[in-house]
Amino acid sequence: MAAIRIVIIGYGGIGSYHQKELIPQELVDVVGIYDIAQTAQDKAREAGLTVYDSLEQVLNDESVEAVLVATPNDVHQDLSIAALRGGKQVICEKPVAMNVSELDAILEVAAETGNTFMVHQNRRWDPDFLVICDLYQKGQIGDLFQIESRVHGANGIPGDWREQAAHGGGMLLDWGVHLIDQILWLVDSPIKSMAADFSYILGNEVDDGFILYLTFENGIHTLIEVGTTNFSQLPRWYVKGLNGAAKIEDWDLSGEIVVATHQDDLVAPKPIKAGVGLTKTMAPPSEEATKKVAINEILPEFPSFYQNFYDVVKNDAAPIVKNEEVRKVLYLIDSVFELVGH
């Protein structure tokens, strides 16, 4: 089984992470990098990688089968098209492009050349997301009708190109593309309506956070939120079903699943003192009315991203991250920008 020889274009944080942590050498062999930054070149040489002097040198190297585009977002289109036309298979980091028009141009060239083009939407493999998928598919807490997905931080936007609109910065494109991809992959239903609000509290020219509400035709309501000014974080996931609720605090799967037992359906709730008043509505259920279930790690029923990439290139397998799915995500992002007058 010959490994696919790949060159990383853009050897920054995510590009070097692919090489060090994600890419299995038995499947995909990183043979070199191309990056215009001297610091990235030095780092690659220290890692024992070939440093190419130009994109043309990469594309003219017939021993290189594929490239990974891990640059700022605004050059994804040009680099991907050049690589496809240069006879290379292409992996592109998310967001795949600045807008749908750019993606369509890439996909047109991919179709013309017959070369593989796949987008690294890696959050489909997150353990917390796989738990939500399992709840959704198996109905452990009944049919889900509300899904809240959040990522919160307190460090602002990273002090690099992500602060600049010209490079495709901002949290909707940076983290929103992940969370939207998860929701659209999970909920197989057309979107009925949406609303959105951006945060510019830090004074950057791009959003430092957002809230997006999506209502699907099957009745599921979703909230997607990204924040970079949250010194106290809300749970990564909060979902409600007809027979319970689940809360996942973080990527380490701390939290709880609560399932209704319906053992005290005929017993009227007792009022409790709430502040200076009484309430039955907000009274907690009795101990017999619910049970807590452990959150167990769910293993994916599909191969890893790079195993799938190898199988797509070598064995004509179907991609897990399909380009039509990626296009739906980017189309929705375009629609959100238009909705808020961005």
Side-chain angles (χ1 to χ4, degrees):
M1 181 171 72
I4 297 172
R5 293 170 58 85
I6 195 169
V7 167
I8 298 174
I9 302 176
Y11 196 65
I14 191 62
S16 59
Y17 182 71
H18 275 269
Q19 181 255 323
K20 295 174 182 177
E21 301 290 340
L22 300 180
I23 296 179
Q25 293 184 1
E26 68 274 13
L27 297 176
V28 180
D29 182 19
V30 179
V31 297
I33 69 106
Y34 168 59
D35 196 304
I36 62 175
Q38 185 65 49
T39 54
Q41 296 172 12
D42 294 342
K43 183 170 61 175
R45 290 191 178 96
E46 291 176 3
L49 300 174
T50 298
V51 176
Y52 289 82
D53 295 328
S54 66
L55 177 62
E56 289 71 26
Q57 188 180 24
V58 174
L59 301 183
N60 289 334
D61 187 343
E62 294 183 357
S63 71
V64 174
E65 298 173 75
V67 300
L68 164 65
V69 178
T71 61
N73 305 329
D74 58 313
V75 290
H76 284 185
Q77 177 191 18
D78 290 345
L79 291 172
S80 296
I81 288 176
L84 289 166
R85 286 183 171 151
K88 310 303 182 187
Q89 320 298 329
V90 177
I91 298 171
C92 185
E93 257 300 331
K94 62 79 205 172
V96 59
M98 300 279 279
N99 51 56
V100 168
S101 295
E102 288 191 357
L103 174 57
D104 285 345
I106 297 171
L107 296 182
E108 183 177 348
V109 175
E112 290 174 359
T113 61
N115 294 324
T116 298
F117 179 77
M118 287 178 61
V119 181
H120 187 241
Q121 288 287 175
N122 57 310
R123 296 291 172 177
R124 296 187 184 186
W125 284 262
D126 277 357
D128 56 288
F129 175 59
L130 294 176
V131 170
I132 300 301
C133 290
D134 192 65
L135 289 174
Y136 182 83
Q137 293 163 359
K138 295 183 179 178
Q140 185 179 20
I141 58 174
D143 291 340
L144 301 189
F145 60 87
Q146 181 175 324
I147 302 173
E148 300 179 11
S149 170
R150 294 180 173 89
V151 289
H152 283 166
N155 300 313
I157 304 173
D160 55 13
W161 57 267
R162 290 175 178 83
E163 294 181 343
Q164 302 171 24
H167 294 304
M171 287 299 105
L172 181 60
L173 281 170
D174 187 37
W175 263 101
V177 67
H178 280 311
L179 305 193
I180 292 170
D181 179 72
Q182 288 180 334
I183 292 296
L184 294 190
W185 202 49
L186 175 67
V187 182
D188 185 17
S189 177
I191 295 172
K192 180 179 179 181
S193 64
M194 71 177 182
D197 185 34
F198 280 5
S199 168
Y200 293 93
I201 197 69
L202 298 177
N204 298 106
E205 62 181 10
V206 296
D207 65 290
D208 53 61
F210 68 89
I211 298 176
L212 173 62
Y213 301 94
L214 299 175
T215 301
F216 292 86
E217 289 186 2
N218 64 1
I220 293 179
H221 295 258
T222 66
L223 180 153
I224 300 171
E225 180 180 0
V226 174
T228 59
T229 57
N230 300 73
F231 288 91
S232 178
Q233 290 81 37
L234 291 172
R236 172 69 186 87
W237 295 93
Y238 179 69
V239 298
K240 294 164 65 177
L242 295 176
N243 198 45
K247 177 174 61 175
I248 300 179
E249 297 286 355
D250 47 40
W251 287 290
D252 294 329
L253 302 186
S254 59
E256 62 181 10
I257 298 173
V258 179
V259 182
T261 64
H262 303 293
Q263 290 186 19
D264 65 349
D265 280 355
L266 301 179
V267 179
K270 297 179 180 180
I272 62 169
K273 185 177 180 180
V276 296
L278 294 177
T279 178
K280 290 183 180 180
T281 306
M282 301 306 165
S286 69
E287 293 184 3
E288 296 79 16
T290 62
K291 63 177 181 179
K292 291 187 178 180
V293 179
I295 298 175
N296 296 315
E297 183 177 0
I298 304 297
L299 297 178
E301 297 179 352
F302 42 87
S304 68
F305 178 87
Y306 276 104
Q307 178 67 66
N308 182 234
F309 175 70
Y310 180 91
D311 289 338
V312 169
V313 172
K314 297 292 189 179
N315 303 319
D316 200 28
I320 293 170
V321 181
K322 297 178 174 58
N323 289 327
E324 57 265 30
E325 297 167 346
V326 173
R327 191 181 189 280
K328 287 181 181 179
V329 173
L330 201 55
Y331 180 84
L332 179 57
I333 289 176
D334 282 357
S335 301
V336 174
F337 279 131
E338 183 178 355
L339 180 68
V340 299
H342 182 79

